[in-house]
Amino acid sequence: MKTRITELLGIEHPIIQGGMHYVGFAELASAVSNAGGLGIITGLTQRTPELLAKEIARCRELTSKPFGVNLTFLPSVTPPDYPGYVQAIIDGGVKIVETAGNNPQKWLPALRENGIKVIHKCTSVRHALKAESIGCDAVSVDGFECGGHPGEDDIPNMILLPRAAEELKIPFVASGGMADARSLVASLALGADGMNMGTRFIATKEAPVHERVKQAIVAASELDTRLVMRPLRNTERVLKNEAVERLLEKERALGANIKFEDILPEVAGVYPAIMQRGEMEAGAWSCGMVAGLIHDVPTCKELIDRIMAEAEQLIRGRLSTLLG
Ligand SMILES: Cc1cc2nc3c(=O)[nH]c(=O)nc-3n(C[C@H](O)[C@H](O)[C@H](O)COP(=O)(O)O)c2cc1C
């Protein structure tokens, strides 16, 4: 399948693995890239630019295909060493960066001068148009269904994607709620050039996370996610657990007076305990509604091959026969 995204990124299939904190290590990124998609290392999971440089080198040993690095720009009083991370990406010869969070404008000249393609992930048409206007090469449009931060507009992909298609000139991928061939074909029909998946890629053999995380996703239904931190305008979709119930109880009790410090025990630094040690009640962790569509733990190649084969059957079979 050829789309503007496969052409832009030099990949075989229009499937991207979005950056994921404590999930997007070299093992997963290389497995997705080796399967013909685009794997992405999560920059900030590496505590320093030096460690990111090592992770990039490790990924390059595991694949000769293109892969990317995610750089998430968080609002922070003491920001991470972004110039250092950008330099590690440039020096590591990475040619694709997924940006997310705040406007990436400040970092675009350095990235683009080094021939790096930038895909900005955003949750509204407004932000997608902004990304286009500042020179991003593509956008990843993340609907309300998504795991992680869906923004504050709450527009599901059935509306958000065709709206993005109406407005954007640059290529875009559909993100949030994507799991299988049906997701891919629907995304293409709605005007996207491919799809980005997060939660689905956690439940794969190569994802370097604890087995209990994968099983929690397989066991979860589409009813099992919750939105936290909405009163702080930092909404995150997470899988429900005891810590999330506690957090939501604090939100109800404190109302508009809630501060980030009130929920630190449930959200700060909890990813290593959950992802690496499988302590499933340790805190809130991002997970999409799409968990309801995830029933197995295949290899990345099995998953991507299945998606592409079934997408072809859907297009050549069911859809074309509807036309008689
Ligand atoms: C566990 C987890 C961690 C994530 N961490 C990040 C992150 O650090 N930076 C980022 O830009 N997106 C992050 N995301 C969002 C994903 O890249 C992707 O946009 C999202 O998962 C798509 O929705 P889906 O889960 O329905 O596929 C994370 C998602 C999950 C599930």
Side-chain angles (χ1 to χ4, degrees):
M1 186 183 284
K2 265 204 178 91
T3 72
R4 293 191 296 169
I5 276 291
T6 59
E7 302 284 287
L8 176 75
L9 305 177
I11 54 177
E12 202 182 332
H13 308 303
I15 299 176
I16 300 178
Q17 165 249 314
M20 289 180 282
H21 200 38
Y22 278 90
V23 182
F25 292 95
E27 287 81 2
L28 179 61
S30 62
V32 174
S33 289
N34 282 332
L38 181 77
I40 294 188
I41 294 172
T42 315
L44 295 189
T45 298
Q46 304 300 322
R47 287 187 319 281
T48 64
E50 293 70 33
L51 289 171
L52 177 59
K54 284 197 183 135
E55 196 66 10
I56 292 169
R58 220 159 64 77
C59 197
R60 201 168 295 296
E61 277 172 20
L62 297 171
T63 185
S64 54
K65 305 268 182 71
F67 62 89
V69 172
N70 168 285
L71 267 184
T72 303
F73 299 110
L74 304 163
S76 167
V77 206
T78 47
D81 179 5
Y82 287 119
Y85 284 105
V86 168
Q87 200 55 50
I89 289 167
I90 294 168
D91 294 345
V94 172
K95 291 296 170 211
I96 302 160
V97 164
E98 176 194 50
T99 55
N102 288 349
N103 186 330
Q105 186 160 21
K106 188 170 164 194
W107 311 102
L108 286 185
L111 294 171
R112 298 185 54 119
E113 272 162 29
N114 287 281
I116 295 171
K117 303 266 185 294
V118 177
I119 311 166
H120 185 60
K121 188 161 56 194
C122 38
T123 58
S124 69
V125 174
R126 181 170 88 250
H127 290 146
L129 281 172
K130 182 73 193 173
E132 177 176 272
S133 77
I134 63 176
C136 291
D137 299 279
V139 284
S140 197
V141 174
D142 225 3
F144 183 52
E145 304 90 331
C146 74
H149 293 272
E152 311 301 328
D153 290 350
D154 302 355
I155 309 297
N157 269 334
M158 197 59 106
I159 308 296
L160 189 60
L161 297 174
R163 278 290 299 122
E166 284 176 4
E167 303 266 353
L168 288 170
K169 290 187 197 67
I170 53 174
F172 72 98
V173 294
S175 179
M178 306 292 148
D180 53 31
R182 296 169 300 183
S183 323
L184 177 59
V185 175
S187 299
L188 297 170
L190 294 171
D193 303 282
M195 69 177 176
N196 178 64
M197 304 193 292
T199 305
R200 174 65 269 196
F201 276 120
I202 305 178
T204 57
K205 293 237 160 55
E206 295 93 340
V209 301
H210 199 282
E211 197 52 35
R212 281 198 284 271
V213 178
K214 303 180 189 185
Q215 290 311 323
I217 291 173
V218 171
S221 88
E222 63 277 19
L223 302 173
D224 292 333
T225 69
R226 297 289 180 269
L227 294 176
V228 297
M229 294 193 280
R230 177 129 273 188
L232 295 164
R233 291 190 65 76
N234 184 32
T235 302
E236 183 181 359
R237 186 179 297 284
V238 298
L239 192 68
K240 73 168 188 200
N241 63 14
E242 280 169 21
V244 168
E245 292 310 322
R246 233 173 23 242
L247 197 169
L248 289 171
E249 188 45 49
K250 288 183 193 178
E251 289 185 356
R252 279 190 288 271
L254 295 169
N257 296 323
I258 196 162
K259 295 191 190 57
F260 190 61
E261 294 73 55
D262 297 318
I263 58 165
L264 278 181
E266 283 79 28
V267 297
V270 297
Y271 271 71
I274 295 158
M275 295 298 176
Q276 292 173 342
R277 301 197 291 280
E279 296 169 18
M280 301 311 295
E281 306 297 328
W285 60 281
S286 296
C287 178
M289 287 176 165
V290 73
L293 293 174
I294 299 173
H295 312 302
D296 61 357
V297 182
T299 65
C300 290
K301 181 161 169 42
E302 285 164 353
L303 176 65
I304 291 178
D305 284 351
R306 181 168 80 198
I307 292 172
M308 295 314 298
E310 290 179 6
E312 183 168 350
Q313 284 167 15
L314 252 180
I315 297 167
R316 291 196 203 279
R318 181 158 181 271
L319 296 184
S320 68
T321 57
L322 293 176
L323 296 171

